[in-house]
Amino acid sequence: MNDAFVKDIRQSGYIHRPLPLLEQHSLEHEQQQQKVLESRTLFEYSEERAGEWIHRGVGTLRPGEEQSLLLSSPTIMPHWPPGAPEDGDYTNFGDAWMIKTLEREQWESYNRLTLELKADFHGVPNAYVMIKFRNEGLIPIPDIYHREGVHGVNMRNHEWSTVHLNIQALPRDAITELTIGYFLNGKERATADEMGLQLRSIKLEKVGGQEVTKGWLPKAGEIIFSHSGYNLVGAKAAFATDLTVSHFQLKRADQEETVFQGEIRQIDTELGRFASMDFTSFDQEGRYYLQAGDAVSESFAIGAAEVVWHASIWKSLNFIFCERCGYPVPGIHGSCHDDVIAKHKGTVTSFNGGWHDAGDVSQQLIQTAEVTWALFEMAEQVEALDHDLYLRLLEEGEWGLDFMLKTRFGDGYRATSAGITRWTDGRIGDMDDAEARVHNQAYENFYCSGMEAYIHKRLPNAALSARLLHFAKEDFQYALDEFEKHGFDQKPIFWEHTYQSSESLYMATASWAASMLYEATGDEQYAEKAAQFISYVIESQELAGIPLTNGSSMRGFFYRNPDKRVVQHFNHQAREHLYILALTAVHRSQGNHPQADSWLASIKAYGEYLKKLAVYTKPYPMISSGIYHVDECNEDKSFHYQHLFIDETAKVDYVHQLEQGVKLNSTFYLRRFPVWFSFRGNNAIILSTGKAASAAGLYLQDRTLLDIAEGQLQWIVGKNPFGQSLMHGEGSRYAQQYSVLCGEMTGEIPVGVQTFGNEDEPYWPQFNNATYKEVWTGNAGKWLSIVADLYALGEPK
């Protein structure tokens, strides 16, 4: 880590205050340097032109005092907006809009919209402004899920700001409406009663050097590389398109000395033609950059995992800290959501603590529990390396553990989730309160018991450790009791993040939990359960292999259950890694079991599956989503568990999406990105698969699998077609993300890269909207979990 960053860590009190935002490396900063080739004024304020806009929603629209149009409103209303649930579940207090109607304007000759805006959101933690478009041309905007044509801006409060928006990917052949406004996201302790937004001007512009937003081919002449760097013992490669030179140079960053020169190799793939620069054989630690003619990369590290990824641990920790719920995070929000409550058997507790789930500040027990688990995983690996970081990871993990225990009622029931998407005043008894869901679900208790057993062994507090193991045993028994009563028929809860869990994932989770308890206690009853449950998982695995049209076969993947009609997929929430964690845990703890060889064979088969998947996205490290059967959409129960808020058109779109993938045989297709509908973005999916790869690679000492795991991190930090880091503050060219209530946070990671419509190629517009751009705390946990394995591996064969 460089000296400036170490200084930032110290000045943050080892992150008891947020790390600074490095906006000078952001995409928005880069946009300011783009050359304007052509411009057209769409609106410039005057009293006469103010009448071009109409008002909709809460508040008023009138001339402002700064030669501007002023949209103003209260910060809250005394009632929920029309159509909202009566109990206020997952709703705010409405919205306020200024709308300009247009006559089917053709904007295709322009690729940027530039606006002058000023937000006066008094005491609001983040001044979040939205810009929306309506297109009535060939491709209607918004889409049926209202994801396309919607852009959010995290603005500087009380300052005039010039906002640039890349509209290259926006269908804009018949624009009929432009809307600007904001949500009324509630009041916390410091929020005033009124808020306002001023508009001064809007320009359509054509600029040079615009970003690539869709497809596999990057901007011509731009080197695509891992911004964080490369593992000394792993694969090291970068690539570009349209280079005019035959060789590249690896140069030392501080001396501009060429330390390695290689031939640029042209490779043709199904994704396109790329100029590949491979420097895997170079094995000297340091900081370097690549040059190929006029194309020059930013600098990056080459070294051990603790050299390449150490700064990202601190940044991920920063993001997690900034998402604390019920804690005053300096510069972001006060102690929040005291009046989000959980009720059980005549008692009431505040459902705050842990971390907000995402940009909408909702709360999910399982999300917090998974992040807690990852923090303890990471802490264990850095204890001897960086004691300051070790102690800080423990502290943050203990904050999450406190929430896990706080929401546990001790009789099988847990407070599990609350849809919020607003700030509340902290006073229990008025209308802005929210109520958490409380359930006795076997799956959640299995999962939590395993995490409790895992964490218990890593807690320095002996008394708390002993009690945590006691709770783990109790929770496992509560889960068994419910499972024996209901089996798989205990109906999952719609809003829980475990809703999509299949039967085979359920059994993998239960087996892993049993193994964690067996390792913690030595009690044979847990060994028996672990073996019993894992047998169901193996029955759900494709071990014979499906024949492919090219004469080979594909095996090792999992189905949702042993009938093998529906392959296990993830399209939003993702827990692919639990299959491999369950298999490695049962084999590690019961290596002499009669079925141990079959467990090891299953791990190896899955590893071979990942290696075959990786081929389909080369030269990118992003792992493909997986295999789909053509008839899966006809399994209604499974299909609706996997895909939320869909109608019958989804079944037609399912087929179209498969056809955009790779046809493997008459009944199976491979998709590089998931089949998905409203919920899009694949970071959780590739990170979960990456964790499966790192767990298998670590267990089997397989360098190729570890490279696949590390490759998922590399995709996120720049080795993608857009050359952008998706982790804010790590690397460069990171863009604003959908962090509506808290604003930008160093280390934040969004839901991830999406696709457009039914296509199967990456799509990453500047448009900032849920779900794909929404910051997601769980992704930081998955990131740490992979890095922990990379730290643990030493130097595998």
Side-chain angles (χ1 to χ4, degrees):
M1 300 189 302
N2 63 46
D3 292 342
F5 184 58
V6 172
K7 181 180 179 181
D8 286 341
I9 292 170
R10 288 174 179 157
Q11 291 184 340
S12 74
Y14 294 90
I15 312 179
H16 291 91
R17 302 185 68 86
L19 290 170
L21 295 170
L22 303 178
E23 294 179 345
Q24 68 271 28
H25 301 305
S26 69
L27 184 70
E28 287 78 17
H29 179 79
E30 187 175 291
Q31 280 184 313
Q32 297 171 17
Q33 320 306 318
Q34 291 176 327
K35 184 178 180 181
V36 178
L37 306 176
E38 187 178 336
S39 177
R40 170 194 157 197
T41 298
L42 187 65
F43 173 76
E44 187 164 359
Y45 179 80
S46 66
E47 289 187 12
E48 294 77 19
R49 297 200 66 182
E52 297 175 7
W53 296 81
I54 61 171
H55 170 254
R56 184 181 300 159
V58 176
T60 62
L61 182 64
R62 64 182 188 276
E65 297 177 357
E66 300 182 57
Q67 282 295 297
S68 62
L69 195 60
L70 172 63
L71 177 67
S72 63
S73 72
T75 50
I76 62 170
M77 297 295 287
H79 52 77
W80 302 122
E86 290 184 8
D87 62 358
D89 182 63
Y90 201 76
T91 191
N92 52 35
F93 290 91
D95 41 47
W97 305 106
M98 57 179 96
I99 301 168
K100 182 175 173 61
T101 302
L102 301 160
E103 295 296 328
R104 298 180 63 85
E105 290 201 5
Q106 219 274 22
W107 288 3
E108 291 182 329
S109 59
Y110 301 99
N111 58 14
R112 189 169 85 175
L113 192 74
T114 296
L115 309 90
E116 283 186 287
L117 295 167
K118 180 183 179 185
D120 287 302
F121 292 7
H122 304 285
V124 173
N126 181 45
Y128 184 78
V129 173
M130 297 194 71
I131 304 165
K132 303 193 294 185
F133 301 82
R134 181 173 296 279
N135 187 67
E136 298 184 25
L138 185 62
I139 300 176
I141 296 294
D143 62 312
I144 62 172
Y145 303 112
H146 288 266
R147 306 299 195 190
E148 297 296 324
V150 180
H151 177 59
V153 185
N154 299 308
M155 295 186 59
R156 293 182 182 275
N157 215 348
H158 311 301
E159 294 181 17
W160 278 104
S161 300
T162 299
V163 176
H164 299 299
L165 174 59
N166 179 351
I167 59 171
Q168 183 68 46
L170 175 72
R172 56 197 188 281
D173 55 332
I175 297 290
T176 58
E177 196 171 271
L178 175 63
T179 301
I180 304 168
Y182 54 81
F183 294 134
L184 279 63
N185 285 325
K187 293 177 71 170
E188 63 151 11
R189 290 182 174 90
T191 305
D193 295 330
E194 298 289 328
M195 59 195 301
L197 174 67
Q198 297 183 70
L199 168 66
R200 185 176 282 166
S201 68
I202 307 174
K203 291 182 179 179
L204 284 166
E205 296 172 332
K206 181 179 180 180
V207 298
Q210 192 61 289
E211 297 301 308
V212 169
T213 56
K214 191 169 74 164
W216 293 104
L217 296 179
K219 187 190 300 185
E222 181 176 296
I223 297 176
I224 300 302
F225 68 104
S226 168
H227 294 188
S228 298
Y230 299 85
N231 198 308
L232 198 64
V233 297
K236 295 182 281 293
F239 48 89
T241 58
D242 299 315
L243 294 180
T244 58
V245 294
S246 60
H247 288 78
F248 72 94
Q249 295 79 40
L250 180 69
K251 296 186 174 184
R252 201 177 300 279
D254 54 352
Q255 300 173 5
E256 299 187 1
E257 168 197 1
T258 298
V259 296
F260 180 89
Q261 178 166 295
E263 182 180 356
I264 296 174
R265 192 164 56 90
Q266 299 296 325
I267 56 173
D268 292 302
T269 75
E270 292 186 15
L271 310 182
R273 185 175 177 84
F274 299 88
S276 176
M277 293 167 268
D278 192 297
F279 49 105
T280 300
S281 62
F282 183 77
D283 61 358
Q284 298 174 31
E285 284 198 2
R287 194 155 192 90
Y288 306 93
Y289 67 92
L290 289 163
Q291 183 166 357
D294 294 333
V296 181
S297 75
E298 296 290 336
S299 67
F300 54 86
I302 294 178
E306 54 266 30
V307 172
V308 176
W309 303 113
H310 209 65
S312 76
I313 301 172
W314 282 104
K315 292 169 186 176
S316 298
L317 177 60
N318 178 79
F319 171 41
I320 294 166
F321 167 74
C322 290
E323 286 282 17
R324 278 193 181 188
C325 178
Y327 181 92
V329 180
I332 295 184
H333 62 75
S335 179
C336 59
H337 298 123
D338 296 302
D339 49 354
V340 179
I341 58 173
K343 299 177 181 179
H344 181 59
K345 290 185 175 179
T347 66
V348 179
T349 185
S350 289
F351 187 71
N352 63 354
W355 305 282
H356 296 131
D357 157 59
D360 60 7
V361 300
S362 290
Q363 178 59 286
Q364 290 272 346
L365 165 65
I366 290 299
Q367 193 95 306
T368 280
E370 289 177 322
V371 172
T372 301
W373 172 21
L375 287 162
F376 280 97
E377 271 192 285
M378 193 71 250
E380 183 176 24
Q381 298 306 321
V382 301
E383 182 176 7
L385 177 71
D386 185 340
H387 203 66
D388 290 332
L389 178 56
Y390 165 72
L391 292 174
R392 187 61 190 84
L393 288 164
L394 278 186
E395 178 189 349
E396 201 65 26
E398 288 166 353
W399 171 264
L401 179 59
D402 180 76
F403 183 73
M404 292 174 66
L405 300 181
K406 175 182 182 177
T407 54
R408 176 185 183 274
F409 289 105
D411 59 356
Y413 283 81
R414 294 177 180 273
T416 53
S417 67
I420 304 173
T421 198
R422 63 180 181 271
W423 298 116
T424 60
D425 61 15
R427 297 170 183 168
I428 298 173
D430 56 14
M431 73 157 289
D432 73 347
D433 296 357
E435 188 167 337
R437 302 171 188 94
V438 175
H439 303 290
N440 181 5
Q441 290 285 118
Y443 183 83
E444 276 79 358
N445 276 322
F446 275 133
Y447 200 7
C448 286
S449 71
M451 289 186 274
E452 289 158 353
Y454 177 93
I455 293 167
H456 122 87
K457 297 177 68 175
R458 291 153 180 86
L459 272 176
N461 182 326
L464 179 57
S465 173
R467 290 301 293 164
L468 192 59
L469 181 58
H470 174 77
F471 297 150
K473 292 189 286 186
E474 282 191 341
D475 291 341
F476 191 86
Q477 189 59 51
Y478 293 139
L480 275 180
D481 292 345
E482 287 300 301
F483 185 68
E484 287 170 1
K485 280 191 284 186
H486 305 289
F488 297 121
D489 294 328
Q490 186 177 29
K491 188 175 181 180
I493 309 304
F494 184 79
W495 285 112
E496 301 299 337
H497 278 190
T498 56
Y499 182 75
Q500 296 174 313
S501 300
S502 66
E503 296 95 325
S504 62
L505 181 63
Y506 193 123
M507 287 289 93
T509 305
S511 177
W512 172 78
S515 290
M516 292 300 99
L517 279 160
Y518 179 49
E519 290 183 339
T521 66
D523 189 332
E524 288 294 332
Q525 68 168 316
Y526 298 118
E528 292 171 7
K529 287 298 181 184
Q532 174 190 334
F533 294 151
I534 207 67
S535 64
Y536 186 99
V537 175
I538 291 178
E539 289 173 15
S540 304
Q541 189 177 21
E542 179 60 64
L543 292 172
I546 60 167
L548 309 184
T549 53
N550 63 9
S552 65
S553 64
M554 192 82 82
R555 62 190 290 268
F557 58 90
F558 295 93
Y559 295 90
R560 288 181 68 87
N561 52 50
D563 70 13
K564 297 185 178 180
R565 291 201 300 266
V566 180
V567 180
Q568 173 66 62
H569 310 294
F570 297 92
N571 57 66
H572 187 57
Q573 290 289 322
R575 296 185 175 89
E576 177 105 0
H577 55 287
L578 289 177
Y579 288 103
I580 300 306
L581 292 181
L583 283 162
T584 55
V586 72
H587 188 267
R588 180 180 62 242
S589 60
Q590 300 186 63
N592 294 323
H593 192 281
Q595 297 300 314
D597 287 346
S598 70
W599 300 337
L600 184 60
S602 287
I603 299 168
K604 290 179 177 178
Y606 181 80
E608 293 307 311
Y609 169 64
L610 291 186
K611 292 175 185 179
K612 288 192 175 184
L613 280 189
V615 172
Y616 288 90
T617 49
K618 287 186 176 298
Y620 293 99
M622 184 201 87
I623 194 79
S624 291
S625 169
I627 293 174
Y628 292 78
H629 191 280
V630 292
D631 292 331
E632 288 180 22
C633 61
N634 297 322
E635 299 286 335
D636 280 345
K637 182 179 178 181
S638 165
F639 197 64
H640 284 272
Y641 275 149
Q642 294 182 69
H643 303 289
L644 309 184
F645 304 117
I646 58 172
D647 57 24
E648 285 304 307
T649 62
K651 291 187 177 183
V652 177
D653 286 336
Y654 175 85
V655 175
H656 292 326
Q657 289 192 36
L658 292 193
E659 291 170 349
Q660 292 294 309
V662 179
K663 189 172 185 178
L664 299 177
N665 60 29
S666 61
T667 55
F668 283 96
Y669 285 78
L670 179 139
R671 285 273 303 182
R672 296 178 175 94
F673 286 86
V675 168
W676 47 21
F677 303 99
S678 178
F679 290 81
R680 298 183 178 221
N682 76 336
N683 278 347
I685 300 155
I686 64 173
L687 287 171
S688 178
T689 308
K691 175 62 179 181
S694 68
L698 191 58
Y699 199 72
L700 300 173
Q701 291 288 283
D702 188 318
R703 181 71 248 177
T704 301
L705 289 176
L706 292 165
D707 281 347
I708 289 172
E710 199 159 15
Q712 308 320 301
L713 308 182
Q714 293 176 343
W715 166 272
I716 289 173
V717 291
K719 205 172 179 185
N720 54 62
F722 318 107
Q724 294 180 30
S725 174
L726 309 187
M727 177 185 280
H728 206 280
E730 176 71 1
S732 61
R733 306 184 70 250
Y734 34 81
Q736 283 199 358
Q737 298 180 21
Y738 187 86
S739 182
V740 182
L741 284 96
C742 292
E744 303 301 336
M745 296 161 280
T746 291
E748 66 189 19
I749 307 176
V751 173
V753 174
Q754 60 165 336
T755 58
F756 184 80
N758 292 326
E759 297 171 357
D760 192 23
E761 62 179 16
Y763 174 50
W764 191 243
Q766 187 186 355
F767 281 77
N768 186 14
N769 194 16
T771 54
Y772 58 98
K773 286 281 182 84
E774 185 168 13
V775 301
W776 215 4
T777 315
N779 281 345
K782 289 181 174 66
W783 179 281
L784 292 177
S785 191
I786 294 175
V787 175
D789 282 349
L790 297 177
Y791 274 44
L793 63 91
E795 293 198 9
K797 300 171 185 177

